[in-house]
Amino acid sequence: MNTPLVIQRRRLLQSLAAAGAGLYLPGRAVAQTRLAGDPFTLGVASGSPTHESVVLWTRLVLDGDEALRLQPAPVAVRWEVAHDEGFTRIAQAGQAQAVAGLAHSVHVEVRGLEPDRWYFYRFAVGHAVSATGRTRTFPAPGAEVARLRLAYASCQRWEHGYYSAYRHMRDENLDLVMFLGDYIYEYPNAAQAVRKPTGGWVLTLDDYRARYALHKSDADLQAMHAACPWLVTWDDHEVQNDYAGVSPGYSGPPVTDFAARRAAAYQAFYEHMPLRASVLTRAMAGLAGGAEMRIYQRLPYGRLASLYMLDARQYKDAQVCTREGRAGSSMLNPASCSAWKDPARSMLGAQQESWLDAEWGGDAGKAVGWNLVGQQSLFGQRDFRPGSGQVLWNDGWDGYTAARTRFTDSLRKHAVANPVLLGGDVHENWVGHIKADYADAASAAVGTEFCGTSITSRSGDNAKIPDTLAENPHFVFADAARKGYGVVELTPGMLTTTLRVVDDVTRVDSGVQTLAKFAVQAGRPVVEKA
């Protein structure tokens, strides 16, 4: 690893240490700071919940941000967690430090909370008080749970529309949001843009910070973050379109040090998400010289479900048989691509694959009613060529057939209870069955999948969907036209998924409607219309 990246990661570790030193300081242990203006312009958020803890997030940004960026001293931030919205019954309170090295972001890991409870929280600096957020803890492991209701979403390109989907998502009475990647886009603009992003190509740490700040300035997105906790993972655009592991993608001006660019992007992701500090500190002590950020995890939701968030981008092998040998993605013909079947190639990386297999081989995969997996892309095979032969997209699971087989083999070997995959990335709704062998039409279904459309990002031609469905009968529904989110409701005996779509993504006041609704019975991996 080159010297600038080592220095960059060392400074990040120092910033984490400085911020962590002030997480639970009582009373007036940190000097209070007064800022000229509202420092909470990016809102508040919570996430990474367990049965007894949650992460509270904010980032201090004034108009123009100069007053804070040029201030090297930490800023004292007070926080409160209460049982009621009026904050008359305080559950916990303390002070944290917002340090310049982490863009004055705050990540408070509140522990010792009661399981399966809703709480309210807020921050304050001087006389400035943030908006109030609402969050919750998960039920204790082993607890009987009647219901879990969550939304899954992905792909919110700023230029392509308004985030009105989040305004409607707030009315869904959710326990949780799973965000499955492409929170920002690194592009400078788009043809026929609905709204134009500030700045050009996103390449540096300051660029990434500014692009996150732009997205988080959206009022509907802020309100949804404040409504309930989020679990988050990333895809490619948080760094660069179609990058894979340590291999750059194919878009924008080239950089001389992609590893440094990726590290900067990962730091900015941490700075703007309700993640635990351990996703950085644990990685710095181990693999990849500290450039890794360990975001994959499993979280139990009582006995009702295990929730998995996977990382199918950071450890991914480079795409093969791309057009003209360039970096990034393209369509491929597996019959003329010998590398396509290479068993050494992976989407998740050997360590994450091993971790997931161990989770499913232990009590986690069997002791719960549902195993709900949030990951980035469409899992099932999608052949775009009608009739004989195949044309597949090499950036998704279709480009990593051996890795997909290992995934399904692990599900079967461990008899994992009711596996359901949620995905994003393709900007279209796809609903279907996870097959043990996609080459065999009679192969048994081992689970179900719901790959969601985008919040705003544009997609392909809906007129081609019927032919693609006919060629891939393991899918029961697809739609490329509409934008929105999915809502999953789990009970011990049933999973229902509702596809919610906005009327017009280019209208800030767009309405919403239900596109389709599906049900899966526990113990029976079959998708049925509900």
Side-chain angles (χ1 to χ4, degrees), residues 25-68:
L25 296 180
R28 307 176 65 84
V30 180
Q32 291 297 305
T33 304
R34 292 190 178 185
L35 300 174
D38 177 12
F40 300 111
T41 56
L42 302 188
V44 301
S46 69
S48 305
T50 72
H51 68 283
E52 60 86 33
S53 68
V54 70
V55 176
L56 308 181
W57 173 92
T58 193
R59 179 188 165 203
L60 308 182
V61 174
L62 296 169
D63 289 340
D65 198 20
E66 289 300 318
L68 284 177

Side-chain angles (χ1 to χ4, degrees), residues 150-374:
L150 63 88
Y152 59 98
S154 63
C155 304
Q156 51 188 31
R157 189 166 174 181
W158 181 267
E159 307 96 291
H160 286 178
Y162 295 103
Y163 296 162
S164 53
Y166 286 122
R167 177 164 44 85
H168 298 291
M169 191 186 289
R170 286 185 65 202
D171 298 328
E172 300 283 359
N173 190 27
L174 301 173
D175 297 297
L176 179 71
V177 171
M178 277 189 170
F179 192 85
L180 303 178
D182 293 343
Y183 193 95
I184 64 166
Y185 281 71
E186 82 282 18
Y187 300 137
N189 202 0
Q192 299 177 323
V194 177
R195 49 183 180 172
K196 186 177 180 179
T198 53
W201 284 99
V202 176
L203 302 171
T204 68
L205 178 57
D206 280 345
D207 293 340
Y208 286 109
R209 286 169 170 171
R211 190 57 57 88
Y212 277 104
L214 173 69
H215 284 62
K216 284 184 168 290
S217 70
D218 185 275
D220 289 327
L221 178 58
Q222 284 191 20
M224 192 61 236
H225 269 299
C228 67
W230 287 40
L231 294 177
V232 296
T233 189
W234 50 35
D235 196 25
D236 52 342
H237 289 288
E238 285 86 356
V239 180
Q240 181 193 25
N241 180 47
D242 286 348
Y243 92 94
V246 295
S247 301
Y250 185 79
S251 65
V255 298
T256 57
D257 190 344
F258 178 72
R261 178 184 182 180
R262 195 185 83 154
Y266 285 6
Q267 176 177 338
F269 183 83
Y270 171 78
E271 290 172 350
H272 293 86
M273 297 295 155
L275 295 167
R276 297 180 186 276
S278 59
V279 303
L280 285 172
T281 57
R282 190 169 55 196
M284 286 180 185
L287 298 177
E292 183 198 21
M293 197 164 104
R294 191 77 54 84
I295 63 172
Y296 60 85
Q297 60 179 320
R298 179 188 74 87
L299 294 167
Y301 195 87
R303 294 187 62 186
L304 179 63
S306 278
L307 308 179
Y308 301 81
M309 294 295 282
L310 302 186
D311 179 354
R313 188 57 67 173
Q314 181 177 191
Y315 313 106
K316 179 179 184 174
D317 288 309
Q319 303 90 343
V320 295
C321 300
T322 56
R323 187 182 301 111
E324 300 174 353
R326 74 183 192 187
S329 71
S330 67
M331 309 305 283
L332 67 79
N333 179 355
S336 60
C337 180
S338 59
W340 180 67
K341 291 186 177 180
D342 183 353
R345 299 182 65 248
S346 179
M347 277 280 278
L348 303 179
Q351 184 168 344
Q352 188 178 186
E353 281 192 24
S354 178
W355 166 83
L356 187 59
D357 183 73
E359 290 288 331
W360 285 341
D363 293 335
K366 304 179 183 64
V368 297
W370 300 89
N371 284 275
L372 197 62
V373 182

Side-chain angles (χ1 to χ4, degrees), residues 450 496-499 514-519 527-530:
F450 299 89
T496 59
T497 298
T498 306
L499 308 183
T514 294
L515 178 65
K517 188 173 183 179
F518 303 92
V527 179
E528 299 175 307
K529 278 286 188 78

